[in-house]
Amino acid sequence: MIICSIASTCWALYFILQGQIVSSFANVVGMIQALVFMQKDNHKWARSKWWLVLFLGLQFAVCAYGLKNWHDVFPLFGSIFGALAYFVIDEKSYRYFAILNMAFWLANSISKMPATLLALICDSTGTVSGLIGLARFYKRQKNDNGQQPNNVDEDKKIEDIEKDLVV
């Protein structure tokens, strides 16, 4: 999570240098979210759902203030899904929100080309990585639910021995 905070800080600087206020602020909020999320295991205050409300409110406020054109909504939606990903508990929902987060940031990069080539590469990689991770998650879940134990013959032998002992 510390690396995530550092990355958000770097992205905020990257976007502010390009004059993209909404994208920059979304990353600043993302950095703060990561710092709060790091404390969830150690402090009760960090587990409060009010953090999610605060972060979503901040995202909407900055979008209303910094909205210059229609594609400034992409970082807003990306940040909303990023915030939801931080605060969900189950792994499946986390993966969906994280993919939506990366997809909106990818749309943001595409809409502001060629100025955001570096972001386009990063967001493309992140989106593809998230989709691969989701596919692996479903494959693992399918194997866990439908797989027979490898030691079926041993279980049968144990049952036979138990029957012999009872008779």
Side-chain angles (χ1 to χ4, degrees):
M1 281 296 158
I2 292 172
I3 293 173
C4 183
S5 295
I6 293 169
S8 290
T9 304
C10 291
W11 283 114
L13 291 171
Y14 173 81
F15 286 121
I16 201 72
L17 291 172
Q18 294 183 1
Q20 298 179 29
I21 308 286
V22 175
S23 299
S24 178
F25 187 77
N27 278 283
V28 170
V29 173
M31 176 190 62
I32 297 167
Q33 285 174 178
L35 293 172
V36 170
F37 187 74
M38 283 188 326
Q39 303 302 318
K40 283 177 85 171
D41 292 337
N42 301 330
H43 302 286
K44 187 177 179 180
W45 59 265
R47 285 177 282 222
S48 173
K49 295 294 180 187
W50 287 107
W51 285 108
L52 178 61
V53 173
L54 174 69
F55 293 133
L56 293 177
L58 283 172
Q59 297 295 358
F60 281 111
V62 78
C63 185
Y65 176 74
L67 192 66
K68 293 180 183 174
N69 47 46
W70 66 271
H71 44 79
D72 279 341
V73 298
F74 293 137
L76 169 70
F77 287 123
S79 297
I80 288 170
F81 288 118
L84 292 170
Y86 276 125
F87 287 95
V88 296
I89 295 172
D90 64 297
E91 188 177 350
K92 184 176 164 183
S93 296
Y94 171 80
R95 290 178 185 276
Y96 282 126
F97 286 134
I99 289 170
L100 287 170
N101 171 28
M102 290 306 300
F104 276 105
W105 280 104
L106 177 61
N108 181 57
S109 299
I110 291 169
S111 72
K112 296 177 180 164
M113 282 299 292
T116 56
L117 182 60
L118 179 64
L120 177 68
I121 294 167
C122 180
D123 297 335
S124 299
T125 304
T127 303
V128 169
S129 176
L131 291 170
I132 291 170
L134 186 64
R136 292 180 69 199
F137 172 77
Y138 277 118
K139 183 179 178 182
R140 184 183 64 204
Q141 194 175 40
K142 182 180 173 186
N143 287 343
D144 289 347
N145 291 337
Q147 188 178 23
Q148 292 292 328
N150 292 335
N151 55 1
V152 173
D153 293 334
E154 291 176 20
D155 291 340
K156 180 83 170 148
K157 290 177 185 177
I158 292 172
E159 288 176 12
D160 291 341
I161 292 170
E162 289 175 347
K163 286 179 186 176
D164 289 341
L165 291 175
V166 173
V167 175

